[in-house]
Amino acid sequence: MKKKSVNLITAVGVLVVLSGAYVGVKAYVAKQEAADTESAEEENPEIISIASADVKSIKFVIDKKEVTFEKDGDSWVKSDETGFPVDQDKIDTLVSSLNSIKAERTLENVEDASEYELDQPDNTITVTTEDGETTVIQLGMENDSTSQEYIDLNKDSSTVYVVSNSTFSSFEGTLYDFAKSGVFPTVDSSTVSKISVDGKDSSYVVEKDKNNFWNITGDGETEKADSAKATSLASTLSSVAYASYVNYNCAEDELSQYGLDKPYAEITVDYQEKVEKESTDDENEAENGDEEVSEASGDENQADENADSETDGSESLDEDADSETDGNESSDEDADSETDGNESLDEDVDVADTEDSEAVENENTDETADDNVEAEDTDVTESDDEAGVETADTESAESSEDAEEDSEPETEMVDRELVIQVGDQSSDGGRYVRVNDSNEIYTISEDSLDTFLGKTNADFWDLTVSYLSANNLDTLDVNYGGEDYIVNVSRETSEDENVETSNNETEDEDTTDSTSSDVADGNDVEGNAADDNTSSGDLTGEDTENTDDSSSTASTTSSTSVTLSYTLNGKDLDSTTFTTFYNKLINMTAQKRLTDEFKSNADPEMTVKFTDIDGNEMEVEYYSYDTNYYAAVINKKVYLVNKMTVKELFQAFESVTGEKEENEKAETTDPETNASTDNAETETTEASEDAEE
């Protein structure tokens, strides 16, 4: 037992010692951490601490000149040029970088400041606070290997501080890096109607006509433009942006230093912009609305006064009723008194007490009745008032809704013109530009400008050889293989009644002939031609107009359809066969246009003349050009088309004339051909056998 007690005491003692050791170690660690922190602070002391709100002005070197920005109210201005468009955020960033700067190393007792290039500092920053205190920071040499920079404070080069070379990076740049740049005008490419480029190297005009088709004008000639290329040119305007800010107030005599006195090119864009519509009628309506509201308010006030008068009248009636009741009570009392005179004194006393009680009860009853009358009158009045208030609130809400609708600004599209003058090449790889005769000069990258410059009208030519919708075709004259063929188009109009529909929706039945709807005129596979010239009826051989009667939930729609049929030299022609050929014909697209003069000693292999329903004619001739191309000549324009594509066109026409089927049939069924073939095979076999023997 004694041994166990000794062990317990020993364990407790050990626990106490360990606890003390733990507390001591913890205290030591805390003390060591504090010492390390203090040591670290001593190694990286804060050498600059200037609150942004205290800074009055800041001066430093830009483009080898000292520039001062000072606070004017809540804004920064350039002290010697208050009109300069200072970038407020940029200067705020400079100032905030001075809130806390710590030195990574401190070099004391420096004897030669030139060793750190502080005798001729790269930049000197002077900060003046509201209380007049000045801090001067000189920036010396940068150590690229350690990414550090040497500085001194208040021109005391005996102590040099080493800081990160990114500490003062926000002070670098040109003057216009500290200016608030403008933004290139926003142009909605879908509203662009004309782009004119007048340059030293080339000039052209891309413009939409009255039918919204793009045309290209150059060298005095106007023709259809490639829709995709013209649209792409207009779309480029949406991505144009300034590269750098050069001059915010360029005088006319300074334009020559940017090459803008005689621009290298001038780009003019006609477009539209949506703006808020200004209308005096709206203002008049608003004024009239205010007058109506005032009148309505006056009517409501008058109604309230009348209601109050009626209430007062009801109260007067109640008072009269009370008076009458009081009179009746007096009469009752008189009658009671007469009766009391015939009875004994004791009875008189009892009766008097009884009368008093009854009188009190009658008075209470009358007062209750009066209260009920007043309550009813009050309820009626309050009900009327509430109804009036609700009506007024409803009218007010409706007026508010109408006012909100009227307050929504109306917009309209107005014509705008954007003029970009392009000058000399700039050091940043772009060109100097001036927009809309502004005094501001910017640069724009050459990549953006090259979309417009250096182009000719040939770059926008439409390479579709010949396009005419089958819906507008009257006759097609073809000369192929020395034979003349004529295709006539007939039209049959019919009215069809379509399926009944509900919920004002129309489900049109397909009334198109299966042979013609398949490939009608080929607009489903058209390239550039379809973009501009295809009408809503070009997708099939029928033109359909639907009329929807939506006066009831269930309606029947009718459609007028035009069915096309064809004849070849007076004989009926299969629609599918013809439209397959016609698709290839009108979708023929060249790979390039030949600008040199073209002459051929041979006759064209195919000549096609289109005549539309208005009597207009168009003729195209196909010549063999070289091993790669056919030359398609139309209106003195020469298109070079892939040879295989033209061969497929010829084969499709042979199917129209039946020549292809006849040739195939002749090759497989001609008895003479088969006989000669059999004889040849027999002779070959016999010769082989003789040779073997």
Side-chain angles (χ1 to χ4, degrees):
M1 188 67 175
K2 184 177 181 181
K3 185 177 182 180
K4 289 183 178 179
S5 299
V6 171
N7 291 337
L8 181 60
I9 294 172
T10 303
V12 171
V14 171
L15 181 60
V16 171
V17 171
L18 292 175
S19 299
Y22 172 75
V23 172
V25 170
K26 187 176 181 181
Y28 173 78
V29 170
K31 185 177 181 180
Q32 189 65 33
E33 288 179 351
D36 291 342
T37 302
E38 185 178 353
S39 176
E41 290 178 353
E42 291 178 357
E43 291 180 0
N44 298 303
E46 186 176 63
I47 57 175
I48 299 174
S49 177
I50 304 174
S52 299
D54 295 338
V55 178
K56 174 62 177 176
S57 68
I58 185 166
K59 178 173 64 175
F60 56 99
V61 177
I62 303 176
D63 297 332
K64 298 181 179 180
K65 294 180 181 178
E66 284 191 338
V67 177
T68 301
F69 297 100
E70 61 184 9
K71 213 57 177 296
D72 182 11
D74 294 331
S75 302
W76 292 101
V77 297
K78 190 168 177 282
S79 61
D80 60 340
E81 193 177 5
T82 56
F84 185 83
V86 177
D87 188 334
Q88 303 296 318
D89 294 337
K90 190 69 178 286
I91 304 303
D92 285 340
T93 301
L94 297 181
V95 173
S96 61
S97 68
L98 303 174
N99 293 162
S100 178
I101 297 177
K102 295 183 178 181
E104 296 181 359
R105 280 195 302 149
T106 302
L107 307 177
E108 298 179 348
N109 301 320
V110 176
E111 297 180 356
D112 187 4
S114 63
E115 183 179 353
Y116 305 102
E117 297 182 2
L118 289 169
D119 56 332
Q120 295 180 346
D122 184 59
N123 203 341
T124 300
I125 304 169
T126 303
V127 184
T128 304
T129 58
E130 293 286 352
D131 58 7
E133 184 178 348
T134 300
T135 301
V136 180
I137 309 167
Q138 292 189 138
L139 309 183
M141 180 183 69
E142 287 191 23
N143 190 332
D144 294 333
S145 60
T146 61
S147 298
Q148 293 176 325
E149 185 175 16
Y150 300 95
I151 69 169
D152 66 21
L153 298 179
N154 299 321
K155 297 184 179 181
D156 180 10
S157 299
S158 62
T159 301
V160 176
Y161 302 96
V162 182
V163 298
S164 170
N165 61 2
S166 62
T167 304
F168 299 99
S169 59
S170 56
F171 289 84
E172 300 173 355
T174 65
L175 177 61
Y176 278 87
D177 288 328
F178 301 92
K180 183 68 174 178
S181 174
V183 180
F184 188 83
T186 301
V187 177
D188 183 354
S189 60
S190 64
T191 68
V192 174
S193 59
K194 182 179 179 181
I195 301 175
S196 304
V197 177
D198 184 9
K200 293 181 178 179
D201 297 335
S202 65
S203 300
Y204 62 88
V205 177
V206 179
E207 184 175 13
K208 285 182 179 179
D209 61 19
K210 61 181 180 180
N211 296 318
N212 216 33
F213 298 149
W214 287 104
N215 293 315
I216 176 68
T217 301
D219 299 330
E221 295 184 359
T222 300
E223 59 180 282
K224 183 186 172 188
D226 185 298
S227 176
K229 293 179 180 178
T231 302
S232 176
L233 185 71
S235 299
T236 303
L237 292 164
S238 302
S239 59
V240 175
Y242 294 132
S244 61
Y245 201 0
V246 178
N247 193 329
Y248 83 96
N249 189 21
C250 181
E252 288 294 326
D253 57 357
E254 296 176 330
L255 292 174
S256 58
Q257 61 182 303
Y258 306 111
L260 291 169
D261 55 333
K262 297 178 181 179
Y264 170 74
E266 186 169 281
I267 304 169
T268 304
V269 181
D270 293 346
Y271 67 103
Q272 287 189 318
E273 183 181 16
K274 182 185 289 186
V275 299
E276 185 175 331
K277 185 177 181 180
E278 296 181 359
S279 175
T280 55
D281 294 337
D282 293 341
E283 296 176 359
N284 294 333
E285 290 178 2
E287 292 177 359
N288 293 334
D290 293 338
E291 292 176 0
E292 291 175 359
V293 170
S294 299
E295 292 175 359
S297 301
D299 294 339
E300 291 176 5
N301 294 333
Q302 185 64 36
D304 293 339
E305 291 176 0
N306 294 335
D308 293 338
S309 299
E310 292 176 0
T311 303
D312 295 338
S314 300
E315 292 176 354
S316 299
L317 291 174
D318 293 339
E319 292 176 357
D320 294 339
D322 292 339
S323 299
E324 292 176 359
T325 302
D326 294 338
N328 292 332
E329 290 177 355
S330 300
S331 299
D332 293 338
E333 291 175 357
D334 294 338
D336 291 338
S337 299
E338 293 176 359
T339 303
D340 294 339
N342 298 323
E343 297 177 356
S344 61
L345 295 175
D346 295 334
E347 291 176 351
D348 291 340
V349 174
D350 295 335
V351 170
D353 295 336
T354 303
E355 288 176 353
D356 292 338
S357 301
E358 290 177 354
V360 171
E361 290 177 358
N362 290 334
E363 288 177 0
N364 292 336
T365 303
D366 292 338
E367 290 175 359
T368 303
D370 293 339
D371 292 340
N372 292 336
V373 172
E374 291 179 359
E376 289 176 0
D377 293 340
T378 304
D379 290 341
V380 171
T381 304
E382 289 178 353
S383 177
D384 293 340
D385 291 342
E386 290 175 358
V389 171
E390 290 178 359
T391 304
D393 291 342
T394 303
E395 293 176 353
S396 178
E398 292 176 354
S399 301
S400 299
E401 292 176 359
D402 294 339
E404 288 179 0
E405 291 178 359
D406 294 339
S407 64
E408 292 181 1
E410 295 184 8
T411 59
E412 61 180 345
M413 301 299 291
V414 297
D415 294 333
R416 295 282 191 246
E417 184 180 68
L418 172 67
V419 180
I420 309 170
Q421 292 179 328
V422 183
D424 295 339
Q425 291 181 324
S426 58
S427 58
D428 62 359
R431 282 186 176 273
Y432 297 109
V433 297
R434 180 190 188 195
V435 176
N436 292 340
D437 292 330
S438 170
N439 292 332
E440 298 181 344
I441 308 298
Y442 295 90
T443 65
I444 293 179
S445 68
E446 282 202 283
D447 290 340
S448 297
L449 295 173
D450 283 347
T451 307
F452 303 92
L453 307 179
K455 298 288 191 300
T456 65
N457 59 327
D459 293 308
F460 298 96
W461 279 339
D462 180 23
L463 296 179
T464 302
V465 176
S466 55
Y467 177 84
L468 177 64
S469 170
N471 294 326
N472 296 323
L473 179 66
D474 185 41
T475 60
L476 188 72
D477 294 272
V478 181
N479 181 281
Y480 178 68
E483 298 290 335
D484 290 327
Y485 303 89
I486 181 169
V487 177
N488 289 289
V489 183
S490 299
R491 291 167 173 80
E492 181 178 353
T493 303
S494 61
E495 291 188 1
D496 298 321
E497 192 172 276
N498 294 338
V499 180
E500 289 189 359
T501 60
S502 61
N503 298 328
N504 296 332
E505 295 179 357
T506 304
E507 298 177 0
D508 296 334
E509 291 182 342
D510 185 4
T511 59
T512 306
D513 186 275
S514 61
T515 58
S516 61
S517 64
D518 212 6
V519 284
D521 61 12
N523 293 330
D524 53 334
V525 293
E526 274 189 49
N528 296 329
D531 294 338
D532 291 336
N533 297 308
T534 305
S535 64
S536 60
D538 290 343
L539 297 179
T540 67
E542 300 177 357
D543 288 336
T544 303
E545 296 179 359
N546 294 329
T547 304
D548 184 13
D549 181 9
S550 58
S551 60
S552 63
T553 56
S555 61
T556 302
T557 61
S558 62
S559 63
T560 302
S561 60
V562 179
T563 304
L564 304 180
S565 59
Y566 311 94
T567 60
L568 176 65
N569 292 340
K571 297 181 180 181
D572 290 341
L573 179 59
D574 179 68
S575 296
T576 302
T577 304
F578 174 74
T579 51
T580 299
F581 158 71
Y582 195 73
N583 276 332
K584 295 182 181 296
L585 179 63
I586 64 174
N587 289 314
M588 189 68 66
T589 303
Q591 294 186 348
K592 56 184 176 179
R593 279 261 297 269
L594 189 66
T595 55
D596 298 333
E597 183 180 3
F598 172 76
K599 290 183 179 180
S600 177
N601 296 325
D603 293 333
E605 294 187 22
M606 176 180 278
T607 301
V608 182
K609 183 173 74 173
F610 302 82
T611 303
D612 66 17
I613 56 179
D614 295 325
N616 301 312
E617 296 181 350
M618 175 175 60
E619 185 175 280
V620 56
E621 298 174 326
Y622 287 91
Y623 296 87
S624 179
Y625 184 74
D626 58 20
T627 57
N628 297 317
Y629 298 107
Y630 265 87
V633 182
I634 178 172
N635 296 330
K636 297 181 180 180
K637 299 172 185 174
V638 182
Y639 299 85
L640 297 183
V641 187
N642 183 280
K643 200 159 193 173
M644 293 303 298
T645 305
V646 179
K647 288 291 187 183
E648 291 176 1
L649 175 69
F650 293 166
Q651 291 175 3
F653 186 70
E654 290 172 1
S655 296
V656 172
T657 62
E659 182 178 348
K660 181 178 180 181
E661 289 75 6
E662 291 178 0
N663 292 337
E664 292 175 351
K665 184 177 180 181
E667 291 176 357
T668 57
T669 62
D670 190 348
E672 295 181 358
T673 303
N674 293 338
S676 61
T677 302
D678 293 340
N679 292 336
E681 292 177 353
T682 302
E683 291 175 357
T684 303
T685 303
E686 292 176 352
S688 300
E689 292 176 354
D690 293 340
E692 289 177 0
E693 292 176 357

